[in-house]
Amino acid sequence: ILEKGSGGNFIVYQTSLLGSGERDAEIIELDRVTGGLNAGLAKRYEYISSDALSKMIYVDGALYGTGTSSCRYGNLNLVHSRQLLARFDPGTFDPIWGHLNHLDTLAPVSFHGRELLADSNALVSAYGGSSAFVIGGGGNDTIYLQKTDLNGNIQWVRKYSVLGGVLKLLSVPDGY
């Protein structure tokens, strides 16, 4: 849950599991005073075929999210996943743009977006996984930090080859 600007309503984001086995990200607004659902602001979001948001933030009147977009290959239980970074209109929850990690979209990878923070006029996202196609869509052999401007244009990407995952991304005076 996050606050839609200082004193604004609350935004709840979650991932629904559909009968097909695919996931869709859902964004819902709750009235700050009553706690009731704002039915006009409840959206399901699908960028590829299966999407999940792991972190959303509200920055300077805009809503940003990171997570994972995945594609299934026919009936096979194989998943090709990418880190998703997206900007949403906070008044309608419609997507303004969405980007899939730093590699060519045809590269066989398994990445999972985990964390996102604002740093001045930039976004820093953390995602992990494997730069190879992994059966089942897993793999945590590399952690990536990606810095973009507020339009999603990549400024830099850092790669850390460690066996681990991302729980929290923190900004400290000399780095992340």
Side-chain angles (χ1 to χ4, degrees):
I1 296 178
L2 66 121
E3 189 176 24
K4 190 174 169 182
S6 181
N9 286 338
F10 296 108
I11 297 172
V12 176
Y13 55 97
Q14 63 186 16
T15 302
S16 60
L17 180 60
L18 307 176
S20 65
E22 293 180 351
R23 303 171 299 168
D24 280 347
E26 295 178 333
I27 307 171
I28 303 164
E29 183 176 285
L30 301 178
D31 185 276
R32 178 181 200 85
V33 176
T34 67
L37 171 69
N38 181 346
L41 282 177
K43 297 267 179 124
R44 184 171 282 161
Y45 178 75
E46 182 179 291
Y47 188 66
I48 305 241
S49 62
S50 186
D51 302 288
L53 290 171
S54 57
K55 180 69 181 258
M56 292 192 86
I57 59 176
Y58 187 82
V59 180
D60 295 332
L63 189 59
Y64 298 92
T66 191
T68 303
S69 284
S70 303
C71 286
R72 294 192 180 279
Y73 291 105
N75 301 4
L76 302 176
N77 192 22
L78 301 176
V79 178
H80 188 78
S81 57
R82 304 219 172 251
Q83 179 254 6
L84 171 66
L85 179 63
R87 179 178 175 178
F88 300 90
D89 182 313
T92 63
F93 293 159
D94 289 333
I96 295 172
W97 53 255
H99 298 290
L100 300 174
N101 67 275
H102 65 283
L103 295 178
D104 182 288
T105 56
L106 297 178
V109 298
S110 294
F111 291 144
H112 299 278
R114 297 292 185 219
E115 183 64 288
L116 179 65
L117 62 82
D119 184 9
S120 298
N121 292 325
L123 302 170
V124 179
S125 56
Y127 51 102
S130 174
S131 58
F133 182 70
V134 177
I135 295 176
N140 274 337
D141 63 358
T142 306
I143 295 172
Y144 294 89
L145 289 183
Q146 175 180 280
K147 187 171 188 176
T148 67
D149 64 19
L150 295 178
N151 291 314
N153 299 307
I154 295 174
Q155 295 177 347
W156 53 254
V157 175
R158 304 287 186 264
K159 177 180 175 180
Y160 305 93
S161 295
V162 295
L163 188 57
V166 176
L167 297 177
K168 183 76 177 165
L169 177 60
L170 301 173
S171 178
V172 294
D174 60 346
Y176 304 99

